[in-house]
Amino acid sequence: MKLRRSLAVAAAVAVAAPVALFAATPALAAGTPTAQTQNQPTYAELVKAATDTKKAYEEAVTAAEEGRKELEATLAALHSDTHPLKAATITANKAAKDAADAKTAAEQAVADAEAALEAAENDTEKAEAQKALETAEADLTKAVEAQQKADATAEAAQTALDDARVAAVREYSVLQDTRDKALKAKDAAAAALAAAKECVREKGLTSLAVGLPSKVVAGSTVDFTLRVTNGTARTLTVDPLVFIHLESEQKEGKNPLEVEWSNGSDWQPLSDDGPVHIARVDVMEPGEQSDVKLRMKVDSKAQAADAFALFASDASDAYNPCVLGPMKRYDFALLPAGSEPGTVDEAQPGSPGENDDKRPDTAKPGTDPGTGTGTGTGTGTGTGTSPQGGTSEQAVVTGTSTGGSLAATGASSTTTLALTSALTAALGAGAVFAVRRRRAADTV
């Protein structure tokens, strides 16, 4: 049975299958200390495990299908009278039958000789009959030995034929067993990857406004800072999330708030269509902060209105592609030009409204056209080696972002972690329906 290729594939699968042992590790919980993650698989490793076990399973299925065809062909060949093993059994069985017939004839000759001896009437006849009986008995002994030898030869030939059939079935059963094990490994790896993709919420990843006033007069410009703090035990790649808008549209339908953010060298406009990511920080160690300068120019013709700002951070680390910090909402008042606001305190952070922080499933990497227009890395102070390592997709993404989405830098789409946005904003009568972005990775 020619199953060398199939068995080689089976062996490859047997080597690949143990990958699922670590692939089945549950996703890390929020706040997991770094020390506890040392023996955990990284997200890149889970992606590789899912990819490898899926490929191994597909190869095992192909090997099993080929093995089944070869098994059927082998059994059909063994059943043919022209096959050497089957031909040997036919010849041996015929020889055994001939030997049995010869033994039967020898037994009859002995019986006839015994009868002739009993019928002998004189000494001469008795002597001749006795001699004939002895010859018949000797022939019978030889016939018995010949039959035993022929039976043994026939049995050996049949055993060889049966062994060949059993060996063919066993080889196929190995392929079946390998296919089943490969399926279990694939399912375990896929389940582990799916668990790792689930968003993890980290309360310690904070994004707070510093210097944002509670009252803003039309025609003025306000400078303030978005301060992102990694208060978690994780080393993160962080994308600050920003949205600033009026509670309701002005009559002319134009947002009078023009917001820009600094990438360290120039000012980038902030889209007012919905939440956007700005100032990506590639590596933010636990305890580090990153400040992003923002300024808000208010149209001099702006009417009195209530306004709000939403700040949060979406992030990833070596173990999870989706780590979400809490969103904070800042409410402030927009006053007509020439107003005397008096003492103005800073706007205070509060919890987002019911519809401020929706996080639905989003599109696959590479499908988000983005909503922002800025590029840059902000003014963060995070330094150090990327937590993802040299093989992780997260480690080869630059700090430049286009349209508020993560830009891939030459890596395959299988493991690229991309930001995609889904935005539904309905502004009116003090209600904002904004959708928070989340990170997602390709499913294998």
Side-chain angles (χ1 to χ4, degrees), residues 173-188:
S173 67
V174 169
L175 298 178
Q176 287 182 307
D177 184 59
T178 301
R179 178 198 59 198
D180 295 342
K181 289 180 179 178
L183 176 59
K184 292 180 180 180
K186 178 183 75 71
D187 290 345

Side-chain angles (χ1 to χ4, degrees), residues 403-426:
S405 62
L406 180 143
T409 57
S412 68
S413 60
T414 303
T415 55
T416 300
L417 303 178
L419 287 173
T420 58
S421 65
L423 174 63
T424 304

Side-chain angles (χ1 to χ4, degrees), residues 227-241:
R227 177 161 295 164
V228 179
T229 302
N230 181 9
T232 75
R234 303 167 181 262
T235 297
L236 300 172
T237 296
V238 181
D239 287 285
L241 186 71

Side-chain angles (χ1 to χ4, degrees), residues 126-146:
K126 290 181 179 180
E128 291 178 353
Q130 181 62 40
K131 184 177 180 180
L133 176 60
E134 291 174 354
T135 300
E137 288 176 341
D139 291 339
L140 176 59
T141 299
K142 292 179 180 178
V144 170
E145 292 176 352

Side-chain angles (χ1 to χ4, degrees), residues 9 13 16 50-64 176 178-187:
V9 173
V13 176
T51 301
D52 290 348
T53 53
K54 181 176 182 292
K55 181 180 178 181
Y57 171 67
E58 292 170 349
E59 291 179 347
V61 169
T62 299
Q176 287 182 307
T178 301
R179 178 198 59 198
D180 295 342
K181 289 180 179 178
L183 176 59
K184 292 180 180 180
K186 178 183 75 71
D187 290 345

Side-chain angles (χ1 to χ4, degrees), residues 131-416:
K131 184 177 180 180
L133 176 60
E134 291 174 354
T135 300
E137 288 176 341
D139 291 339
L140 176 59
T141 299
K142 292 179 180 178
V144 170
E145 292 176 352
Q147 182 190 25
Q148 291 174 344
K149 184 177 180 180
D151 287 345
T153 300
E155 183 179 358
Q158 186 64 49
T159 298
L161 179 62
D162 292 342
D163 287 348
R165 290 170 175 163
V166 171
V169 173
R170 282 178 177 173
E171 287 186 1
Y172 177 57
S173 67
V174 169
L175 298 178
Q176 287 182 307
D177 184 59
T178 301
R179 178 198 59 198
D180 295 342
K181 289 180 179 178
L183 176 59
K184 292 180 180 180
K186 178 183 75 71
D187 290 345
L193 181 60
K197 288 180 181 178
E198 293 296 324
C199 288
V200 175
R201 292 181 179 264
E202 283 282 11
K203 294 181 179 180
L205 178 59
T206 59
S207 300
L208 302 174
V210 179
L212 177 64
S214 59
K215 299 177 183 178
V216 180
V217 178
S220 64
T221 297
V222 174
D223 292 312
F224 62 100
T225 298
L226 173 60
R227 177 161 295 164
V228 179
T229 302
N230 181 9
T232 75
R234 303 167 181 262
T235 297
L236 300 172
T237 296
V238 181
D239 287 285
L241 186 71
V242 180
F243 184 48
I244 301 176
H245 213 284
L246 300 183
E247 284 280 13
S248 59
E249 293 283 5
Q250 295 284 317
K251 290 181 179 180
E252 62 271 23
K254 178 184 177 182
N255 185 4
L257 304 178
E258 179 183 337
V259 184
E260 299 175 316
W261 64 279
S262 173
N263 63 10
S265 59
D266 54 23
W267 290 95
Q268 304 293 324
L270 185 70
S271 171
D272 66 350
D273 293 332
V276 294
H277 291 99
I278 64 173
R280 158 175 268 239
V281 182
D282 285 322
V283 180
M284 181 174 282
E285 301 288 347
E288 287 188 335
Q289 290 185 339
S290 178
D291 287 344
V292 185
K293 294 181 179 179
L294 295 99
R295 67 185 181 189
M296 180 171 59
K297 300 177 182 178
V298 186
D299 192 319
S300 61
K301 297 180 180 180
Q303 304 173 13
D306 292 326
F308 69 96
L310 298 176
F311 301 108
S313 284
D314 294 340
S316 65
D317 65 7
Y319 305 95
N320 296 88
C322 181
V323 179
L324 304 177
M327 177 174 283
K328 293 298 180 181
R329 175 179 172 126
Y330 291 78
D331 292 298
F332 61 94
L334 181 59
L335 305 179
S339 298
E340 293 294 336
T343 302
V344 179
D345 298 324
E346 287 191 23
Q348 296 301 308
S351 299
E354 179 181 355
N355 298 299
D356 289 341
D357 195 16
K358 295 292 185 181
R359 307 182 196 223
D361 290 336
T362 55
K364 293 181 179 180
T367 62
D368 177 24
T371 56
T373 58
T375 60
T377 59
T379 58
T381 58
T383 59
T385 304
S386 171
Q388 291 80 8
T391 60
S392 171
E393 197 57 38
Q394 299 172 5
V396 297
V397 179
T398 67
T400 302
S401 63
T402 302
S405 62
L406 180 143
T409 57
S412 68
S413 60
T414 303
T415 55
T416 300

